[in-house]
Amino acid sequence: MTKNIILDNINNPEVLEASYQSSPSEFIGDFKQALETHNESETLKVWHARLNYGNSTTNPRTNPRTNMPIGILIVLCLIAGFIAKLPTFFHIDDNWYFPRFIPLAVIGTVIFYFLNMMNSQKIRKVVAGGLLACTVYAVLLPNNTSSASIAMALIHLPLLLLSLLAVSFMSDKWESVQSRLSFIKYIGEVGIYSVLILLGGMVLTGITLGLFSLINLSIEEWYVEYIVVLGLVSTPLVATYLFDAIQKRQSKFSIILSNVFSPLFLVTILVYLIAAIYQGESPYSNRAFLIIFNGLLVVILAITIFSISGRERKNTTHITDFINMALIGATLMVNIVALSAIIFRWAEYGVTLNRVVVTGANLLIFIHLALLLKQYIKQVWYNADPLELEVTITKYLPVYSVWSVIVVVVLPIVFQYK
C-alpha cells in the first residue's frame, strides 16, 4: 500500500469514482502525487483530462458537496448578527456576554454551514452535540472577572470551537492527512479573505457615512451599531462561502504569502534577537518581552505549517525548505529561552494558572517544531518520503484540541474557578 488511494486502486475505476465523489479535494491531492510518479498511466491521463476539462475553477463538479443556497447563507449571517446584538435587546451585561457568545456566533454559524453539507449523520450529531455542550458550558461558567482560570477558559474556547469546525469541515474524512491539510489551507484562505472583506467594508462604511452626511442625515450611530456589527460577525462565514462555493476550495493566497513571509520572518527574528541582546532586554525580568516571545512562536508555527502544506510532494529540495528549516531552528532557540524564563518565574514567584497554561502551550509548540525539524532533516538529507512531513503536521493537530479541552474544562475545576 502506498497511502495513495489512486495508486492503490488505479485498476479499479469504481473505487476511484467513489473516492472522487466523496472527497474531491482529497482526491485531487492524491491525484497530483500519483501523476508525478506515474505520468505514463492511461488511467491518470483520462482523469487529468476530466479534472482539467474547461476550467477546473468554474467546473461545478470540482466540489459537488457545495449546495449552500445564498438564502441560507444570508439567514446564517442574520443569526450571527442577532446573537451579537442580544445584549442590546435584552439588557444583558456586555462583559459577561461577549467573551462567551461572540466566538459561538462567529464560529458556530460557520460550523452550521458545513453541517448543512455533511454526509455522515454520525459526525453531524457529534459536532452538533459538541457545539451545544460548548454553549451550555459558556452559560454555566461562573461570572468572575477576577478569575484567571475563567479568563483562560474563555480565551481557549474559540480554539475548542475550531476543533469542532475542523471535524465539520472534514466530515468522515477527519483522519485523512489530505483532509487535515485541506482544513489548514482553508483556515489560511479564510483569514486572508476575511481581511480583504473587512478592508472593503471599511471603505464602504466611509463612503456610506460620507454620502449621507452630504444630505444632512446622521446615521453613524445606527450604522455602526447594526450594519458594522453584522458585517464583523458574518465576515468569516462570507469568506467561507467565497472559498467553498466560488473558489471551489482551491487555495490561492495563504501558501504564496507564507512562502513570501518565511524569509522575512527569519530575518526579523534573527535581527530581533540580536537587538534584544544588545539592548539588554531579558524575558527573565521583563514580562511583556516574554509575552512577545510567545506570540512570535504562534505566528512562526502558523507560517511554517502553511508553507509546508503547500509544498509539492517531491524528493527535490527547494530554497524554501532551507528557509523553513532555519526558521524552525531559530524559533526553537526562542522557545528554549521562553521556557527557561517561565521555569525561572515558577521558581521565583510560584505556581499560578497563567504560568501552567503558558508552560503547556510552549511545550506543545516546542515538541511540534522539534518534530517538524527532525522530519525536515530526514527529507532534505536522507530523501525521506515527502508525505511524512505532512503526517508530522497533521497527526499532531489533535494534541492542540486536547489541550484546549484541558484549559477550558479541567483547569478551572482544578483551580476552583479562581
Side-chain angles (χ1 to χ4, degrees), residues 290-320:
L290 180 59
I291 293 174
I292 293 175
F293 261 44
N294 290 319
L296 194 61
L297 292 176
V298 175
V299 172
I300 292 177
L301 176 64
I303 288 177
T304 305
I305 287 177
F306 286 133
S307 180
I308 295 174
S309 66
R311 187 183 187 277
E312 294 183 354
R313 291 178 179 173
K314 293 182 179 180
N315 287 323
T316 55
T317 303
H318 302 281
I319 185 64
T320 305

Side-chain angles (χ1 to χ4, degrees), residues 29-30 35 60-61 69 87 102-103 165 228 279 297 308 313 332 343-344 361 370 383 397:
D30 285 341
L35 191 63
R61 298 297 297 166
I102 290 301
L165 175 59
V228 171
Q279 289 293 108
L297 292 176
I308 295 174
R313 291 178 179 173
L332 282 172
I343 293 172
F344 169 80
N383 294 321
L397 294 180

Side-chain angles (χ1 to χ4, degrees), residues 2 77 94 102 125 134-135 156 167 181 241 245 269 282 286 391 400 402 407:
T2 63
C77 290
D94 293 350
I102 290 301
K125 291 178 180 178
C134 288
T135 304
H156 285 76
V167 177
L181 285 176
Y241 181 81
I269 191 173
S282 171
N286 191 331
V391 171
Y400 294 110
V402 172
V407 177

Side-chain angles (χ1 to χ4, degrees), residues 173-210:
K173 299 289 185 180
W174 65 273
E175 293 183 293
S176 165
V177 171
Q178 187 61 43
S179 292
R180 293 184 182 185
L181 285 176
S182 297
F183 177 71
I184 291 172
K185 295 175 184 177
Y186 155 75
I187 290 296
E189 293 292 319
V190 165
I192 294 171
Y193 291 166
S194 296
V195 171
L196 294 176
I197 291 171
L198 290 174
L199 289 175
M202 292 171 61
V203 174
L204 177 62
T205 297
I207 293 174
T208 302
L209 297 181

Side-chain angles (χ1 to χ4, degrees), residues 5-30:
I5 194 170
I6 296 177
L7 294 179
D8 292 338
N9 298 277
I10 198 166
N11 296 318
N12 195 336
E14 291 83 3
V15 174
L16 293 181
E17 182 64 30
S19 175
Y20 173 67
Q21 293 294 337
S22 63
S23 181
S25 59
E26 182 177 354
F27 183 92
I28 292 172
D30 285 341

Side-chain angles (χ1 to χ4, degrees), residues 14 18 68 94 100-101 167 188 208 231 242 253 403 410:
E14 291 83 3
M68 171 69 74
D94 293 350
R100 286 166 167 77
F101 297 103
V167 177
T208 302
L242 292 176
F253 300 112
W403 175 247
V410 178

